[in-house]
Amino acid sequence: MRIFVVEDEEIHLEVAIMNIKKAGYELAGYCMNADEAFQKIKDSKPHIVLVDIALPGFLNGITLSEKINKELGIPHIFTTSLDDDEVIKQAVKTKPKAYLNKPISLGNLKAAIKIASENPTDENPENAKTKPQLIFTKIGDRLVKIPVDDIKYLKADGDNHTSVFTGNIEISCRTTIKQLLKELPEFFVQIHRSVVININFLDEINELNQVAIINKKELPIGRKYKKDLYQLLNKI
């Protein structure tokens, strides 16, 4: 597996390269400027590209990734230290395979690359994934749209309701967490009988307290689900 890195901050670039090598992957190359990156990526033919959302140059991380997706068909993973909902919405349109918060941890890198490599970019409608990119929930007399990629985690709210958390918004759905999980892509994983997380938003795991942390929110990890979670993080 050959990985190309586009990152303008030297310290984050060094961390990314170090963890790519620790994970046993080959570094296809790197670039610190979006305007120069496209040709280097095209020439080096990587399997996956890590792209910082905020990059200097005429192109930025989002426009570069859109160009990579349309012209080269190479899967990309966004890296970011931003927490801007509007930027994330723009980034989603480029069809990234995952998101990684900086500095990139080894475990999260492995999980993201596993997801990207098992779900390569494919614009052929016959091979499109069957899992929905949007879900709708009934609130009063309205059906409200929820983009799947925006969901950070789910929490069971009684026997037949599930709370969906996107950013700082909580939306209540009239369904069980088990049923909702069946409708979501493979980057959602159950970590507790009442909690499902989007692995792309996982910041860290506190092993002492047995909690997963997403945006400073501590979510319990059940003993029954710990093995599956750790296998996802380490199975490369």
Side-chain angles (χ1 to χ4, degrees), residues 151-156 162-165 177 180 184 194-196:
I151 299 172
K152 296 185 177 181
Y153 59 93
L154 318 171
K155 292 188 73 176
T162 301
S163 292
V164 178
F165 293 83
I177 199 168
L180 187 52
L184 295 172
S194 62
V195 179
V196 168

Side-chain angles (χ1 to χ4, degrees), residues 9-180:
E9 296 182 73
E10 190 169 347
I11 186 169
H12 291 305
L13 176 63
E14 291 175 355
V15 170
I17 291 173
M18 176 184 68
N19 283 328
I20 285 169
K21 293 179 178 178
K22 279 185 178 180
Y25 302 121
E26 179 184 348
L27 180 68
Y30 66 89
C31 189
M32 300 180 73
N33 184 291
D35 293 341
E36 300 171 3
F38 182 80
Q39 189 60 47
K40 291 184 178 181
I41 292 168
K42 186 176 180 180
D43 292 342
S44 62
K45 297 180 173 62
H47 296 105
I48 295 171
V49 182
L50 301 185
V51 185
D52 178 20
I53 288 181
L55 289 168
F58 178 75
L59 296 175
N60 57 35
I62 293 175
T63 52
L64 171 64
S65 296
E66 185 176 22
K67 189 175 175 69
I68 292 169
N69 188 46
K70 287 184 177 179
E71 297 185 28
L72 303 180
I74 299 173
H76 64 281
I77 296 170
F78 276 127
T79 64
T80 183
S81 53
L82 299 175
D83 188 16
D84 186 315
D85 288 343
E86 187 58 39
V87 172
I88 295 298
K89 285 180 182 179
Q90 294 175 30
V92 166
K93 294 178 182 178
T94 70
K95 302 179 181 178
K97 295 302 178 183
Y99 295 87
L100 290 171
N101 286 329
K102 297 191 291 184
I104 300 171
S105 72
L106 179 59
N108 286 351
L109 175 68
K110 287 181 177 182
I113 290 177
K114 175 180 172 63
I115 291 167
S117 62
E118 291 189 355
N119 298 276
T121 298
D122 190 345
E123 296 300 325
N124 187 339
E126 294 181 357
N127 296 324
K129 63 183 181 181
T130 58
K131 298 291 187 179
Q133 295 183 349
L134 299 171
I135 59 175
F136 288 81
T137 187
K138 189 173 178 63
I139 299 179
D141 58 356
R142 297 177 300 140
L143 281 175
V144 178
K145 176 180 71 175
I146 308 175
V148 168
D149 286 336
D150 289 353
I151 299 172
K152 296 185 177 181
Y153 59 93
L154 318 171
K155 292 188 73 176
D157 185 13
D159 293 335
N160 296 307
H161 286 79
T162 301
S163 292
V164 178
F165 293 83
T166 64
N168 296 319
I169 301 173
E170 177 182 351
I171 302 170
S172 181
C173 299
R174 191 177 298 175
T175 184
T176 65
I177 199 168
K178 182 177 181 180
Q179 185 59 42
L180 187 52

